[in-house]
Amino acid sequence: MTSTVGSTSSRRRGAVLLVVSMGWLAVARGLGDLLVGALPPAVVRQLGRHGYYSVVLVLTTALGLAAVCATHRASWRAALGLASGQARGAAVGVLIAPTVIALATYLGFTLALPTLLEELQRGGFAEANRNTGGYGRALVESALPLTLLWGLVLAPIAEELLFRGAMWTALTRLTAPRGVPSPPSLDPSFVSDTWLRRGARWVYAEARDGGVATLITAAVFAALHADQPGGAGIVRVVQAAGLGLALGIARHASGGVAAPIALHATFNLLSLARLRRWLPSTFWPSPLPVPVTYWQLAGAGLAILSVATVARRVRERGRTRRPTP
């Protein structure tokens, strides 16, 4: 009975937190249009694109945090994912993330290639570059200190507190297994516990314990980046979906938002470095402009993870074989 009551209470808190996070998201989307009309045009021009976005991020994040604290007075830190995470899980999530991002970038350019080629044939590079919109130009032309403040500090913290903080926690509470005893099943002797059954149980457990939340938050995150037309828009959405998956994996593996915030800031830094040509403009595979840096980071992450996994298993076997005194 206690577990059932606890499960119901957790779902109720999850529903409240989901309403708060959706309101937070709505305010974040609406305040940008509302504030630009309320501020004097001279102030908006003086702030610039990233300065204006920084003001909007600070205001909406403050309102969102206030709403979470008001509705979750005793557990607001857990609701936002601010509880201390697991160092090993954070490392695993961060090491897997570059592979997810590299594959998403490859998939995005693959899907967008016919559209990009059509744009190049119709209007040349000017047509393709025009579809990148003001966002890409602002990353290159804005003052560097303000761009770094926005891309490496404000945007990662604000977006991760919303998506991998409040929203992820709410969805995980709503999809968590109910605290009801399982019905009696067949005698284990009649059912062979194959690797397929074990794998299915693992997938089901992971889906209920954060997997669904990771997928949904990645989908919402990608939808909010559908603000550019043409081939560049396709790449942006698919890449945002891959980044959202990587950030969700880091959140799931670590148990907190610290790893997603750090990973988000690193991705923004790499994007800025590529656009401002701080890194060599080498791409692979041709003709898809996927930065080689992404593949290098993916390979390094998987190599480190493989070595760490083998070393951990060797240590565990050594402990089990060690004779007890």
Side-chain angles (χ1 to χ4, degrees):
M1 179 63 69
T2 302
S3 60
T4 304
V5 173
S7 177
T8 303
S9 176
S10 177
R11 278 176 167 74
R12 187 180 299 113
R13 293 196 303 271
V16 171
L17 187 57
L18 183 60
V19 171
V20 171
S21 62
M22 295 308 294
W24 184 349
L25 179 60
V27 170
R29 296 292 292 176
L31 187 61
D33 297 332
L34 180 64
L35 195 61
V36 74
L39 292 175
V43 174
V44 176
R45 287 194 298 270
Q46 184 67 27
L47 286 173
R49 178 180 290 266
H50 286 144
Y52 177 73
Y53 284 162
S54 298
V55 172
V56 172
L57 280 175
V58 171
L59 289 176
T60 55
T61 303
L63 292 173
L65 293 178
V68 173
C69 292
T71 55
H72 295 71
R73 295 181 181 179
S75 59
W76 63 272
R77 291 178 61 86
L80 292 169
L82 295 176
S84 58
Q86 302 175 1
R88 178 183 293 178
V92 171
V94 170
L95 290 173
I96 292 176
T99 299
V100 179
I101 294 172
L103 291 176
T105 304
Y106 172 78
L107 177 62
F109 278 112
T110 301
L111 294 175
L113 186 58
T115 304
L116 291 171
L117 292 176
E118 180 185 349
E119 291 171 353
L120 289 172
Q121 194 172 31
R122 184 174 62 242
F125 284 101
E127 176 76 14
N129 290 334
R130 185 161 53 250
N131 288 335
T132 60
Y135 172 80
R137 290 191 295 272
L139 284 175
V140 177
E141 299 171 0
S142 297
L144 182 59
L146 186 57
T147 303
L148 292 176
L149 175 64
W150 175 80
L152 274 62
V153 180
L154 296 179
I157 292 176
E159 293 180 0
E160 293 315 305
L161 285 175
L162 169 57
F163 288 102
R164 260 59 61 174
M167 190 179 296
W168 194 94
T169 302
L171 292 169
T172 300
R173 289 175 177 175
L174 290 172
T175 58
R178 296 182 182 274
V180 180
S182 302
S185 57
L186 292 174
D187 189 291
S189 60
F190 290 98
V191 182
S192 59
D193 192 20
T194 63
W195 65 270
L196 186 60
R197 288 174 60 85
R198 292 194 297 271
R201 286 199 302 269
W202 179 84
V203 170
Y204 179 76
E206 290 297 306
R208 299 293 296 273
D209 186 26
V212 172
T214 295
L215 293 175
I216 293 177
T217 52
V220 176
F221 187 73
L224 294 178
H225 287 77
D227 54 359
Q228 292 180 7
I234 297 173
V235 175
R236 180 168 165 79
V237 170
V238 177
Q239 192 175 52
L243 176 61
L245 284 175
L247 296 170
I249 291 171
R251 170 69 169 93
H252 193 179
S254 66
V257 294
I261 289 174
L263 186 60
H264 197 154
T266 302
F267 176 81
N268 286 354
L269 178 61
L270 287 174
S271 299
L272 180 63
R274 182 171 61 86
L275 288 172
R276 294 211 174 207
R277 302 187 184 280
W278 297 343
L279 295 175
S281 298
T282 53
F283 305 113
W284 182 85
S286 181
L288 303 179
V290 182
V292 170
T293 306
Y294 288 5
W295 299 113
Q296 292 172 337
L297 291 174
L302 291 180
I304 294 172
L305 186 60
S306 300
V307 172
T309 301
V310 171
R312 182 168 60 86
R313 290 186 177 181
V314 169
R315 289 196 302 270
E316 290 175 350
R317 289 181 181 179
R319 294 193 195 100
T320 56
R321 292 177 180 178
R322 189 177 304 164
T324 56

